[in-house]
Amino acid sequence: SLYPTHDRYYGYGIIVWSNSSTNTNNTVSIKNCSFDGNNAEAISVYDHENTLTLENNVDNCSVNIVYTADNEYTTLDKALEKGVDFTLIANTTYNKTITIGTGKNITLDLNGKTLRGTCNAGQGHLIMVNNGATLNVKDSSANADGKITFAQGTSNVGWAIDLEGELNLYSGIIELTGSSWSIGYAVDVRPNAWGTAYNTPTTFNMYGGKLISSDCAIRVASSSADTYSEVSANFNMMGGEIQAAYDGIFIQQSNETYDNLNVNISGGKIESEMYPVRLYGPVATGKVSTADVVEKINITGGEIVPCKVEGKTTLLEDLIYIAGGATEETLYFTEINVEGEGLPTYKFAAKAL
């Protein structure tokens, strides 16, 4: 086991450092160890000519080393600060929110590793993608089984990724775990959720990979206040798989002036133990100043596994459910088109007030 103490100069347990131009090809391999870095970073690597491998190790909190696109080992914090692409080289537990700042376009390669966090007071999500920022998630390992996972802790309201900008999932897993969530999402697609007015759309493009959730897999939702309304939240599913214990996709309009919510499914698979797709509003009490249609659902491909929930209102039996007191007669501003190979045909035209 490695228990780093805080060296007054460096603060690391192991340092890989070349101090001359002729001594740069150092190789450090660490296997079958346990790291505890509560007070310091366990390992630091200087100079890109040095090589670090971590195999079969158990990380308690801070094997917080990534390999960046500019061929350097650095901490996750520093990679984010620089705005460079990076690859996980070890399972990493992160005990604070990872923020992808506005203007950054970062690719995270999970590389078969796990990036994990816990939902506690003060940390309601593991990753925050700000409006105007882009996060691309992939896994280049043979099994593509690396994951971003967020577990229920002292708080039961949270989500693995809070999305105000753009998220592209190509491979790998985004996961939410825990047995008693009050509100939980693997990915929350919600513009202006924290009270800052933006006009840039919020978009999640799912090309592959998996969303796995012990509660709801994905919410596509209106902004947090009417002041910031008439922006758009978009989910486009071209491939991959959604597995959820509650909602597969939850589409929520909750303000008096509605935002533009768009869900397009052309591939992949959705399977839920409760509601594959569920709508909450909008109903006729809302105000629409720029469009007659503010909610569009277009399903032209993929597979949606039916799930029968007794006593609940459906628009398309066992596939699309509706909540919030709305019915097919009271649902306004919504356009639904379901038509494709292996899919039932269903069309719902927006009703005029």
Side-chain angles (χ1 to χ4, degrees):
S1 295
L2 171 64
Y3 301 98
T5 57
H6 197 300
D7 181 280
R8 63 175 179 168
Y9 294 110
Y10 302 110
Y12 305 109
I14 292 177
I15 302 174
V16 183
W17 187 15
S18 300
N19 61 0
S20 73
S21 60
T22 59
N23 181 23
T24 58
N25 295 312
N26 299 301
T27 299
V28 174
S29 180
I30 303 173
K31 298 182 179 182
N32 305 314
C33 289
S34 175
F35 299 92
D36 186 352
N38 281 303
N39 299 314
E41 294 168 10
I43 304 169
S44 179
V45 181
Y46 290 85
D47 301 330
H48 66 268
E49 293 88 352
N50 296 315
T51 301
L52 171 67
T53 62
L54 301 172
E55 299 178 23
N56 305 321
N57 295 302
V58 178
D59 58 301
N60 290 336
C61 65
S62 64
V63 185
N64 183 12
I65 302 293
V66 299
Y67 190 68
T68 68
D70 48 9
N71 302 318
E72 290 183 342
Y73 295 98
T74 188
T75 65
L76 182 57
D77 282 328
K78 291 177 181 176
L80 292 170
E81 184 179 336
K82 292 175 66 177
V84 295
D85 299 344
F86 61 93
T87 300
L88 294 184
I89 63 169
N91 295 333
T92 300
T93 298
Y94 210 74
N95 294 320
K96 58 183 178 180
T97 299
I98 297 167
T99 299
I100 312 298
T102 300
K104 300 290 178 62
N105 188 329
I106 293 175
T107 296
L108 163 59
D109 184 351
L110 295 170
N111 189 33
K113 310 301 182 184
T114 297
L115 174 62
R116 69 172 67 90
T118 302
C119 187
N120 294 317
Q123 187 185 6
H125 39 270
L126 177 55
I127 298 177
M128 175 74 202
V129 183
N130 285 345
N131 192 263
T134 299
L135 174 63
N136 309 291
V137 177
K138 67 176 185 178
D139 191 316
S140 62
S141 68
N143 294 327
D145 56 357
K147 63 176 65 174
I148 296 166
T149 184
F150 197 50
Q152 182 183 342
T154 59
S155 174
N156 64 356
V157 176
W159 24 98
I161 297 182
D162 191 339
L163 181 63
E164 289 188 345
E166 180 177 332
L167 172 65
N168 298 302
L169 177 62
Y170 297 97
S171 52
I173 300 166
I174 301 172
E175 178 184 60
L176 188 81
T177 65
S179 61
S180 56
W181 290 99
S182 174
I183 303 173
Y185 312 108
V187 179
D188 191 30
V189 183
R190 189 183 186 195
N192 312 324
W194 304 107
T196 302
Y198 297 117
N199 295 316
T200 306
T202 296
T203 302
F204 177 16
N205 297 310
M206 187 172 179
Y207 299 97
K210 293 181 180 181
L211 298 184
I212 301 175
S213 178
S214 60
D215 197 64
C216 175
I218 177 173
R219 177 174 70 161
V220 182
S222 54
S223 54
S224 59
D226 295 329
T227 307
Y228 313 120
S229 62
E230 297 184 36
V231 294
S232 69
N234 310 282
F235 175 53
N236 304 309
M237 186 177 184
M238 285 72 72
E241 188 172 350
I242 292 175
Q243 300 173 7
Y246 196 65
D247 293 316
I249 303 173
F250 179 39
I251 305 165
Q252 182 183 23
Q253 290 274 15
S254 55
N255 293 328
E256 289 187 4
T257 303
Y258 295 126
D259 298 323
N260 297 298
L261 307 183
N262 303 294
V263 173
N264 300 293
I265 301 169
S266 58
K269 181 180 180 179
I270 302 170
E271 186 170 11
S272 172
E273 296 174 22
M274 288 289 287
Y275 309 106
V277 179
R278 186 165 67 106
L279 310 182
Y280 184 98
V283 293
T285 57
K287 302 183 290 290
V288 178
S289 60
T290 60
D292 293 329
V293 180
V294 296
E295 191 166 87
K296 294 183 179 180
I297 302 167
N298 193 36
I299 305 174
T300 59
E303 178 185 1
I304 303 177
V305 179
C307 185
K308 190 170 188 64
V309 184
E310 297 291 346
K312 299 297 182 180
T313 304
T314 64
L315 293 175
L316 181 57
E317 188 173 1
D318 302 340
L319 297 179
I320 301 177
Y321 287 80
I322 190 166
T327 66
E328 194 166 10
E329 289 70 36
T330 61
L331 184 66
Y332 284 79
F333 316 125
T334 298
E335 182 179 280
I336 302 173
N337 175 62
V338 181
E339 188 174 21
E341 184 177 351
L343 294 168
T345 298
Y346 176 79
K347 295 185 182 295
F348 184 91
K351 296 190 289 292
L353 287 176

